[in-house]
Amino acid sequence: MKIAFAGKGGVGKTSLAAWTADWLARSGRNVWMVDADTALSLGQASGVSADALPEPLIRRADLVRERIHADGFLKLNPEVGDLPESLAVDVPLGGPVPDGVTAGRKRLLVMGAVTNAGGGCACDANALLKAVLANLIVDRDDWVIVDLEAGVEHLGRGTVAHVDGLIVVSEPSMRSLQTGAEVGRMASDLGLHRQVLALNRFRGGQVPELAGLPTSCVTIPQLDGLLDRQMQNASVLGLPESEAIDALVQDCLGKLAE
Ligand SMILES: Nc1ncnc2c1ncn2[C@@H]1O[C@H](COP(=O)(O)OP(=O)(O)OP(=O)(O)O)[C@@H](O)[C@H]1O
Ligand SMILES: [Mg+2]
């Protein structure tokens, strides 16, 4: 299963992507984490130090030239099958593995943002991301977790066509929900109907009905353990609230599968 996390800026996309990937790996699934945002975030949220992160794929001018501009033309279906294996880094698990479970392997592929293509062209970044997503050959039980950049500008057929599910992350505010509704509507228009709304920092209350907002919803409370720690530590894993986070990740994936 390939799932993407989208929504307005700063709402918790990367955190939820990191929690989901970690729960899946601790439950025995192999996971590919794809950071399609301005580098560094998903890896650091998963406990990888900044200096251990690979160069974002989109800044690898050599590869872009070689794969995207082969023969002097922009190739819309570049050959990238070998890239995930050769460029991904292994990421350690962020919590305990239940007795009797063999943990899966968690790997991170840093793409870089599509709209802010590392000084390069957004169409190159898009072609590369689309090709990598299409070519990430996963076993039936493997998962791909894609952390998208904020907003809706990058949401095109390229990013959406190759994922099976979308988590629309939002804060409990009208502006954030409106962006979420726009993301949901665009994804639906592109044929991606399997969507769940993850309402982060939820404090109770009625969610407004906005056309496009996924009807299936999970809520995440404010996490004091994360607030207490985040000045010292970029990782969102291994929090005092980990059990509750694992439960809500399962709830979210269950709703996505419905
Ligand atoms: N439920 C929560 N309780 C407390 N802090 C949270 C919660 N969810 C996320 N945060 C914090 O909020 C900040 C933004 O979260 P995160 O980076 O996951 O958002 P994002 O949507 O990926 O942002 P961006 O659009 O910049 O990529 C981080 O510092 C994160 O630790
Ligand atoms: Mg992010």
Side-chain angles (χ1 to χ4, degrees):
M1 179 108 175
K2 300 180 186 180
I3 57 178
F5 294 76
K8 197 172 180 321
V11 295
K13 300 175 293 295
T14 300
S15 303
L16 192 52
W19 291 328
T20 304
D22 198 63
W23 179 78
L24 285 165
R26 282 186 286 110
S27 309
R29 274 66 153 238
N30 289 318
V31 185
W32 291 90
M33 293 189 291
V34 179
D35 189 347
D37 197 356
T38 35
L40 309 183
S41 39
L42 185 57
Q44 286 178 304
S46 302
V48 179
S49 70
D51 51 16
L53 289 170
E55 174 92 0
L57 197 47
I58 207 58
R59 289 216 207 106
R60 293 282 306 271
D62 53 330
L63 285 173
V64 171
R65 214 168 19 245
E66 179 189 313
R67 307 299 172 93
I68 303 276
H69 292 290
D71 319 323
F73 295 102
L74 176 71
K75 289 185 82 163
L76 294 177
N77 292 304
E79 184 57 56
V80 295
D82 59 314
L83 294 184
E85 281 287 345
S86 60
L87 298 179
V89 292
D90 272 283
V91 178
L93 299 182
V97 178
D99 286 344
V101 173
T102 306
R105 194 171 169 194
K106 204 166 71 162
R107 277 178 282 188
L108 171 69
L109 195 61
V110 181
M111 296 290 312
V114 167
T115 46
N116 163 34
C121 162
C123 40
D124 291 350
N126 229 327
L128 205 56
L129 176 59
K130 177 180 167 188
V132 166
L133 288 181
N135 281 276
L136 258 180
I137 309 290
V138 288
D139 286 341
R140 222 175 25 149
D141 294 332
D142 284 3
W143 286 71
V144 178
I145 299 293
V146 189
D147 182 20
L148 294 172
E149 62 190 293
V152 294
E153 293 77 13
H154 59 286
L155 261 196
R157 205 169 291 283
T159 32
V160 163
H162 299 286
V163 301
D164 318 304
L166 183 70
I167 311 290
V168 178
V169 188
S170 179
E171 289 194 328
S173 73
M174 185 51 87
R175 278 175 53 215
S176 176
L177 287 164
Q178 280 166 342
T179 302
E182 201 177 339
V183 166
R185 185 184 48 72
M186 282 177 76
S188 291
D189 287 350
L190 293 166
L192 180 58
H193 300 293
R194 207 174 267 283
Q195 301 183 7
V196 171
L197 171 67
L199 207 46
N200 196 6
R201 298 192 178 92
F202 185 63
R203 294 156 56 94
Q206 187 73 33
V207 182
E209 279 181 32
L210 297 177
L213 210 55
T215 47
S216 192
C217 175
V218 297
T219 61
I220 307 163
Q222 172 160 297
L223 301 168
D224 290 336
L226 182 51
L227 292 176
D228 289 346
R229 208 183 68 179
Q230 65 187 3
M231 285 264 270
Q232 326 300 336
N233 191 340
S235 171
V236 300
L237 304 180
L239 295 172
E241 297 98 338
S242 285
E243 267 181 40
I245 293 169
D246 283 353
L248 74 87
V249 165
Q250 288 173 70
D251 186 21
C252 188
L253 294 179
K255 292 209 162 108
L256 203 58
E258 274 169 13

